[in-house]
Amino acid sequence: VRFVVLASPKSGTTWLQRLISAVPGLYCGESAPFGRYSNEANPSGARTTLDESAFRALGHMLHGPEQHAEALRLASRFWDAAAAYWLDRTGARVYGEKFTPYRGAERAALAGIAGYSARLRALHLVRDPRDAVVSGCVHQLNIAARQTPDAPSEWAMPDEAESCREARRLPDALVAAAAEHWTDVNREILAGLG
């Protein structure tokens, strides 16, 4: 992995990922390498970082700090294998990834990136926080509105999300959570790149 595009969610990383991948010889993927995060109940599909998968796999053999250190090494190998796979599949010569850390996993995610390789190049993409927060909130409302009533959710009922969408208003708690995540991600990126 030669480069990583770091940003908070809804900051234009997918757009930039597609632009990069359109350049002959370059490919930009997304495998969520670090952050010790897992959410099996995500309505868009289960989300688990590579290091969390490695940590779980090693849990039968190792424990404590050794398990964590080995999980990071194994996640780095998984990441290298993903890069090799996509380079072979696409014929590209340079592989990089977009990376938007999950909420609550920002520090661990960026520590994993920092420990991966001193040669890794980082691009910090920043979108106006007002745009990123509104886009993130609308995205969450759209996901919640599509859920079935019995699906696990931060919403009491999908009807609540739908009524917010229809009224064209964003719940204060959702706006506050999205703004906090935008701040946390960008603070950690700047601290890690500084």
Side-chain angles (χ1 to χ4, degrees), residues 2 5 14 22 30 45 63 93 97 101 117 119 131 140 148-149 163 166 169 182 189:
R2 300 271 296 280
V5 177
T14 300
E30 179 181 20
H63 302 285
R93 294 181 316 280
E97 288 210 1
S117 170
R119 295 188 335 234
D131 293 337
Q140 291 300 315
T148 59
S163 69
E166 288 173 4
R169 71 174 175 82
W182 185 94
I189 290 171

Side-chain angles (χ1 to χ4, degrees), residues 1-6 17 20 27-33 50 79 82-83 86 95-99 120-121:
V1 181
R2 300 271 296 280
F3 67 88
V4 62
V5 177
L6 299 167
Q17 176 187 33
I20 291 169
Y27 187 77
C28 188
E30 179 181 20
S31 62
L50 295 177
W79 206 22
W86 286 111
Y95 178 84
E97 288 210 1
K98 78 172 208 161
F99 187 50
L120 184 67
R121 299 292 176 234

Side-chain angles (χ1 to χ4, degrees), residues 7 13 61 64 81 88 100 102 115 142 181 191:
T13 53
M61 300 169 275
D88 182 58
T100 53
Y102 295 109
N142 287 336
H181 186 50

Side-chain angles (χ1 to χ4, degrees), residues 6-112:
L6 299 167
S8 65
K10 309 311 287 179
S11 291
T13 53
T14 300
W15 173 74
L16 186 56
Q17 176 187 33
R18 290 176 183 160
L19 287 175
I20 291 169
S21 294
V23 175
L26 298 179
Y27 187 77
C28 188
E30 179 181 20
S31 62
F34 304 106
R36 288 291 318 276
Y37 179 87
S38 182
N39 180 357
E40 305 298 323
N42 186 313
S44 298
R47 302 283 189 262
T48 303
T49 57
L50 295 177
D51 62 342
E52 178 63 18
S53 295
F55 188 81
R56 290 178 183 187
L58 294 171
H60 299 287
M61 300 169 275
L62 303 170
H63 302 285
E66 184 182 16
Q67 180 184 8
H68 179 71
E70 288 301 316
L72 286 174
R73 281 193 271 287
L74 187 54
S76 292
R77 288 183 178 171
F78 286 164
W79 206 22
D80 289 338
Y85 171 82
W86 286 111
L87 288 172
D88 182 58
R89 183 175 171 127
T90 64
R93 294 181 316 280
V94 177
Y95 178 84
E97 288 210 1
K98 78 172 208 161
F99 187 50
T100 53
Y102 295 109
R103 183 175 291 137
E106 301 91 349
R107 184 164 289 169
L110 292 161

